[in-house]
């Protein structure tokens, strides 16, 4: 397990409506994808917690959840530090979710370096992803406050993912960001693949202060509304958040923040590591990630788990 001033924020409050036809329990009830138990395996949230544990202790890991999902997340987070479970009274997108957790981190460690990760990813070669996240942290620390986005090396011209186009050249592992392309048409996806564009993973690393500055510059009203609040589970805190959330518009971290200021970001290419976004239907029903390198022994899950997952939805690799 790492530490060294690294904090992790796991975003686990989504509803996962696009994949609810697949993410069903044995009794037939649909559940958000982060709580869906993979056949003979863990839930994506449990995978994310395990992934985070290689970077930071539970005391430095924030998990953002939604109040109405408590019966689903409470068992997985029963042993997690209570003050590190950030409960949203309602879903208002990924930007408010990140800000709620970021407030908590900054109160306790103003000099923190933060890794932000979703809770709906599957990775065959966890070792490759782990080293990429550490490299992103190093890049964020050794430059003047960049936010570093992990860009996954594509295996095909996917039309369901967002793409990020790196700038030519660069002075290290990370590159400047030329532009983002969201869910391109087939011909455009093929062109992006050919020119060396990357899949946007939504895994970020940066100083906590730099992340706050980015949110303040792009969504100042959101920061003004939530800066003095947090998501502690004490009832009076949740009640105060409920009042704010009633009139809070939804904001997406990717569309409303990252894509509006590409010049302030850097992208770090990740070699093929069997990465799949379980937040899309295609991520559950037809992607074939490829494990290529293993700088350290592969962490959980085993490489056979994706085959089991695909079999559960009627496909084979």
């Amino acid at each position: 397990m790492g530490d060294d001033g690294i904090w992790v924020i796991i975003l686990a409050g989504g509803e996962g409506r696009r994949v609810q036809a697949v993410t069903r329990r044995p009794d037939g009830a649909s559940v958000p994808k982060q709580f869906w138990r993979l056949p003979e395996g863990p839930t994506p949230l449990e995978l994310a917690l395990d992934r985070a544990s290689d970077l930071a202790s539970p005391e430095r890991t924030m998990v953002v959840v939604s109040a109405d999902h408590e019966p689903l997340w409470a068992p997985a987070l029963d042993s997690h530090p209570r003050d590190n479970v950030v409960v949203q009274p309602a879903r208002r997108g990924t930007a408010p979710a990140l800000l709620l957790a970021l407030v908590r981190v900054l109160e306790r460690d103003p000099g923190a370096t933060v890794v932000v990760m979703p809770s709906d990813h599957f990775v065959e070669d966890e070792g490759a992803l782990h080293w990429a996240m550490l490299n992103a942290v190093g890049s964020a620390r050794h430059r003047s406050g960049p936010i570093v986005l992990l860009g996954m090396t594509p295996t095909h011209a996917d039309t369901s993912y967002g793409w990020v186009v790196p700038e030519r050249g660069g002075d290290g592992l990370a590159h400047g960001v030329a532009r983002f392309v969201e869910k391109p048409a087939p011909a455009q996806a093929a062109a992006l693949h050919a020119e060396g564009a990357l899949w946007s993973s939504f895994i970020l690393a940066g100083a906590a202060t730099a992340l706050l500055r980015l949110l303040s510059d792009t969504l100042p009203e959101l920061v003004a509304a939530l800066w003095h609040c947090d998501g502690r589970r004490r009832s009076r805190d949740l009640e105060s958040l409920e009042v704010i959330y009633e009139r809070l518009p939804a904001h997406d971290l990717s569309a409303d923040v990252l894509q509006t200021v590409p010049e302030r970001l850097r992208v770090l290419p990740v070699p093929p590591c069997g990465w799949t976004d379980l937040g899309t239907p295609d991520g559950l029903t037809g992607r074939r990630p490829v494990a290529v390198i293993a700088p350290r022994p592969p962490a959980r899950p085993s490489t056979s788990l994706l085959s089991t997952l695909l079999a559960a939805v009627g496909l084979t690799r």
Side-chain angles (χ1 to χ4, degrees):
M1 178 189 67
D3 202 297
D4 195 26
I6 300 174
W7 288 70
V8 177
I9 295 175
I10 299 174
L11 303 178
E15 191 66 24
R17 295 185 185 279
R18 290 178 294 173
V19 294
Q20 283 186 349
V22 175
T23 57
R24 294 184 180 276
R25 298 184 310 207
D27 63 4
S30 181
V31 297
K33 76 275 187 186
Q34 64 270 34
F35 307 117
W36 180 52
R37 185 158 301 282
L38 306 180
E40 301 179 4
T43 66
L45 174 59
E46 289 167 348
L47 291 177
L49 287 165
D50 194 50
R51 193 172 297 134
S53 72
D54 286 335
L55 295 170
S57 66
E59 290 73 24
R60 289 176 176 266
T61 300
M62 299 287 179
V63 186
V64 188
V65 294
S66 294
D68 61 338
H69 290 162
E70 184 165 3
L72 298 170
W73 54 254
L77 299 176
D78 181 61
S79 61
H80 201 72
R82 180 165 292 240
D83 276 351
N84 288 14
V85 179
V86 184
V87 183
Q88 305 174 99
R91 281 172 288 281
R92 294 294 184 266
T94 46
L98 172 59
L99 182 57
L100 280 181
L102 198 59
V103 169
R104 190 83 60 83
V105 171
L106 284 164
E107 285 178 344
R108 289 157 58 177
D109 186 359
T113 301
V114 177
V115 175
V116 182
M117 63 175 68
S119 58
D120 59 357
H121 290 178
F122 178 92
V123 183
E124 282 198 348
D125 187 349
E126 290 279 0
L129 180 60
H130 173 75
W131 284 108
M133 291 189 292
L134 288 180
N135 285 329
V137 168
S139 182
R141 283 177 169 172
H142 292 108
R143 293 181 57 85
S144 55
I147 306 301
V148 182
L149 170 68
L150 293 192
M152 299 298 174
T153 299
T155 56
H156 57 280
D158 196 286
T159 59
S160 64
Y161 290 152
W163 293 68
V164 55
V165 180
E167 291 181 346
R168 299 290 183 184
D171 55 358
L173 295 174
H175 304 262
V177 174
R179 69 185 191 279
F180 289 89
V181 181
E182 190 67 22
K183 297 180 177 60
Q188 187 180 20
L192 289 166
H193 192 195
E195 71 176 274
L198 305 163
W199 289 335
S200 179
S201 71
F202 205 57
I203 301 173
L204 310 171
T209 51
L211 285 165
L212 177 61
R213 186 163 55 249
L214 192 68
L215 288 166
S216 297
D217 291 346
T218 53
L219 297 172
E221 294 182 357
L222 172 67
V223 175
L226 292 182
W227 175 243
H228 297 294
C229 296
D230 65 27
R232 286 187 176 85
R233 294 180 64 189
R234 291 193 293 268
S235 61
R236 67 173 183 273
D237 295 312
L238 199 55
E239 289 171 1
S240 66
L241 275 177
E242 286 173 352
V243 173
I244 295 173
Y245 265 65
E246 284 178 359
R247 56 180 182 272
L248 192 70
H251 291 292
D252 181 76
L253 180 60
S254 181
D256 298 331
V257 179
L258 303 181
Q259 294 181 30
T260 65
V261 286
E263 69 280 359
R264 292 174 59 173
L265 309 174
R266 294 179 68 78
V267 61
L268 191 150
V270 181
C273 61
W275 174 86
T276 302
D277 179 359
L278 300 182
T280 65
D282 285 344
L284 283 167
T285 59
R287 298 310 169 206
R288 299 181 57 190
V290 180
V292 173
I293 60 174
R296 63 183 177 94
R300 289 112 0 227
S302 70
T303 55
S304 64
L305 182 54
L306 185 59
S307 297
T308 305
L309 168 61
L310 295 179
V313 294
L315 295 175
T316 58
R317 294 187 62 189

